[in-house]
Amino acid sequence: MARIAVFGAGGSIGHRVVSEALDRGHEVTAVVRDPARITRSHPHLAVERGDVLDPASVAAVGRGQDVVVSAVGGDDGPGHLALIEPSARSLVAGLHALGAEAPRLIMVGGAGSLRTPDGRLLWDTPGLPKAVVEIMRSHGDALAYLRSIASEVRWTSLSPAARVESGRRTGRYRTALDDLVVDEEGNSVISTEDYATALVDEIERPAHIGRRFTVGY
């Protein structure tokens, strides 16, 4: 049983990570700006107020945890640009301050910097709306920062498929590192439920410390 803190626990991915972890018997701390947003109760669930952009808040939340998950989002493109890469820096600073006792960090990433079957990066696909590209770039900037920190913090970034949407939990998915996972028809998709499954699988069976990986059907 792991002790897991989840920033952004009220979001579409964050709350599914919380549910998946609780269903497996882990102890979960949901970290949100407004604790009133978390209405569920569970014997293994605690709710804390926290600010992912404040390293001191990150350190306070992370102390005593095994894993810190960041599932924060900035709504629109500019919101992501203002939040995602800065939050990566804050998370690393806060966890680094805990020294040898620092928990592992897993960040929800984006698909934009993944290679497509034709060899280009997904964010270079013609016709993508500007706001979508901005969201993709924000996650790409965060990943570039994580890759620059060497061994200061044990980090993992988990990129979804090109399309991630609410669906059902099958418990089945395929993984890759920097290449988009596509099916036989060229589609790249994962449900938020199976994305959360893959993330908690990575918590239980670490296989990508210090690197990015991705999931899809």
Side-chain angles (χ1 to χ4, degrees):
M1 182 172 64
R3 294 163 296 182
I4 306 166
V6 182
F7 281 91
S12 61
I13 290 179
H15 89 266
R16 287 178 172 86
V17 172
V18 169
S19 294
E20 180 71 22
L22 289 173
D23 287 347
R24 300 198 201 185
H26 298 295
E27 293 184 0
V28 180
T29 299
V31 188
V32 289
R33 287 175 294 179
D34 179 10
R37 291 189 61 189
I38 307 298
T39 58
R40 69 174 297 178
S41 61
H42 189 282
H44 292 162
L45 176 65
V47 181
E48 288 190 18
R49 186 187 307 273
D51 182 357
V52 74
L53 294 177
D54 179 1
S57 179
V58 171
V61 168
R63 187 170 288 108
Q65 303 289 341
D66 297 308
V67 181
V68 168
V69 175
S70 177
V72 298
D75 296 322
D76 59 7
H80 272 75
L81 288 171
L83 177 63
I84 303 303
E85 194 266 359
S87 72
R89 292 180 178 273
S90 175
L91 286 157
V92 169
L95 297 182
H96 182 61
L98 298 177
E101 302 300 319
R104 182 182 175 197
L105 170 64
I106 299 181
M107 286 196 70
V108 170
S113 58
L114 294 168
R115 284 189 299 266
T116 63
D118 64 7
R120 64 186 167 191
L121 300 184
L122 184 61
W123 60 35
D124 291 328
T125 301
L128 288 176
K130 178 182 177 181
V132 171
V133 174
E134 288 177 333
I135 291 171
M136 290 178 169
R137 291 286 184 179
S138 72
H139 287 288
D141 291 344
L143 177 61
Y145 170 69
L146 290 175
R147 285 172 165 167
S148 77
I149 65 172
S151 59
E152 290 181 23
V153 170
R154 294 171 299 146
W155 64 270
T156 298
S157 177
L158 175 53
S159 291
R163 193 169 81 247
V164 56
E165 56 194 20
S166 179
R168 65 187 183 92
R169 184 190 188 282
T170 69
R172 299 188 302 274
Y173 56 85
R174 293 181 294 135
T175 67
L177 296 178
D178 295 316
D179 293 300
L180 194 69
V181 177
V182 298
D183 63 19
E184 293 179 352
E185 298 178 349
N187 300 311
S188 177
V189 64
I190 191 75
S191 71
T192 49
E193 291 80 3
D194 279 332
Y195 178 93
T197 299
L199 193 150
V200 179
D201 283 348
E202 176 67 20
I203 290 174
E204 294 181 345
R205 298 184 297 278
H208 301 92
I209 293 177
R211 64 199 316 185
R212 182 261 297 273
F213 76 109
T214 184
V215 293
Y217 293 130

